[in-house]
Amino acid sequence: MQAGFNAMNDLVVIQSAQGLAKYLLQCYPSAEDRSRGVVLGYDGRYNSKRFAELSACVFLHENIPVWLYSRTVATPFVPFAVLELKCLAGIMVTASHNPKEDNGYKVYWTNSAQIIPPHDKNIQTSIMENLEPLESSWNLELLLSDKLNDPYDQMVELYFRKLQANVPQPFIRDYNAASPLRFVYSAMHGVGYPFVVKAFECARLPAVVAVPEQRDPDPEFRTVKFPNPEEGKSSLVLSMQLANETGCDVILANDPDADRLACAEKDAKGEWRVFSGNELGALLGWWAIRCYREQYPDRSLSDCYLIASTVSSKMCRSIANVDGLNFIETLTGFKWMGNKSVELLAQGKTVLFAFEEAIGFMFSPTVLDKDGVSAACHLATMACYLRATSNQSLADKLNELYDIYGFHCTLASYHFCYEPPVMERIFKRIRNMGPGGDAQQDENYPQTVGAGRFKIADVRDLTTGYDSSQPDGRAVLPTSKSSQMITFSFENGAVVTLRTSGTEPKIKYYAEMCAQPGQRDWNGSKATLREMVDCIVEELLQPKENNLTPRSD
């Protein structure tokens, strides 16, 4: 947030709202369509409320009704309201887990999923055609309009009624209500606390023990270096201290806009294990099937779907293959999983679960985006169920799933790179590392790493659209020249993806080794994957030569 067209400020927000409003009027020109309105929400960051109010005034000036939440909400409540109120679009003002200096503008389309092509490009064009701020766009008196409504009470009540219906009632009655488990909860200085409290009440779960310093919205994020529970133990220090003091077994943490969920569990030795997003995805994917079978014991799983992004673990694919479900892989980001869910639902299919490794989970299509509130409720219910029925911890269950479906070990991390030209140079070099590679060839990728020890079987480049595994050499998934993303599939079964972040100055890597059911050399798989990742980072990213800063934790 600062002055200039490359940052978030009043002018850029107004220009964005004006462009979106004009585009909506192009797509929905009738007065009847226009009356469906738009919904806006905001988190607890600096300027979030102001940016939402300025945007509301732009739409009101265009005679488009506005549903503006009167107080901070978790991000999932915006797409939820778009769906339930049948709005034309939704806007959430949030920068999620970014540093305190940031803010952002998240747009949902009429189908309640995040915008994808062609709408994103068309909105961008419309913004550029409507850059001059109208005098009315600064007039906050429009907030007194009778076309402005607050959806808070209605949507909160409906959201929790639907959440409660998604938890099998026998589980609520027999396991949650009598569970000895206790949960520490951190809102990470964000907006999640009141919603998680309500979710636990609906499911008759034990009341959370909240980290007091992080319970309420604080735009300074005073107790954490990065307000992102994905960072692991470094972001959960206060949670672990409180859990140790109060004898709690499980920690749950949302990011500041409460669309992500982290979880840690104390093991038999008294040490805290922070689960990765991939591990939680495996557990919740299994749990989604378990809940569906409980609620609909006579239904087949043949029309049920699990979804994961391409950089996430393939554990859900393994579960789907064994249990007779369908698995779909999408591009990175919930905008792709949300829109794929819309397609499947229109075909009469059942979407049970979708996830991405960055601790994002969609448990049922009640919200067509990641939802850290419902995920916290379902994960806590699973923990209570496991303790009551088999005296298992979450870690015990995960190991059992590996036995049944095959051990999947993953490594994911990142290096900071603050210079876009350096990122471009790194990926250009990777594309020309093969034998005889030169700048004139687009498809001359490395054939091995680790001095020839690890042979690459296939390469997929979703920046250029190349995929060596396809007969025509063309990638099946959509491509984008505006971001870097290359996936290497190795002969030993490992898959490693390198990509740039769309919102942060990072080069990320995601690696996974998938074993067959019954293979027990889990430590060997972990060691091999670790060695491969080290080789890839040194040989392909060259952190020293390119002045890359590794993740601190």
Side-chain angles (χ1 to χ4, degrees), residues 480-509:
S480 174
K481 293 182 180 179
S482 64
S483 59
Q484 303 285 350
M485 185 171 177
I486 303 175
T487 298
F488 299 98
S489 297
F490 289 82
E491 290 185 359
N492 66 0
V495 180
V496 181
T497 295
L498 303 174
R499 65 178 283 259
T500 52
S501 169
T503 57
E504 300 167 288
K506 295 176 180 177
I507 299 177
K508 298 185 174 184
Y509 63 79

Side-chain angles (χ1 to χ4, degrees), residues 113-129:
Q114 293 180 55
I115 52 172
I116 59 171
H119 296 306
D120 53 1
K121 300 297 183 185
N122 293 341
I123 292 169
Q124 183 180 18
T125 299
S126 183
I127 291 171
M128 297 306 293
E129 292 172 349

Side-chain angles (χ1 to χ4, degrees), residues 353-372:
F353 179 66
F355 91 99
E356 63 181 2
E357 57 76 36
I359 58 174
F361 312 102
M362 185 187 90
F363 202 101
S364 89
T366 304
V367 174
L368 291 171
D369 198 6
K370 55 185 178 290
D371 181 351

Side-chain angles (χ1 to χ4, degrees), residues 75 84-86 170 216 220 222 277 293 310 386 404 539:
T75 287
E84 296 297 336
L85 298 172
K86 297 180 173 57
D216 302 317
E220 282 291 319
R222 298 170 202 275
R293 282 174 164 158
T310 187
L386 292 173
I404 298 170
E539 296 172 22

Side-chain angles (χ1 to χ4, degrees), residues 453-464:
R453 283 175 295 155
F454 306 112
K455 294 182 179 180
I456 295 170
D458 289 297
V459 178
R460 181 183 65 192
D461 190 332
L462 292 181
T463 304
T464 66

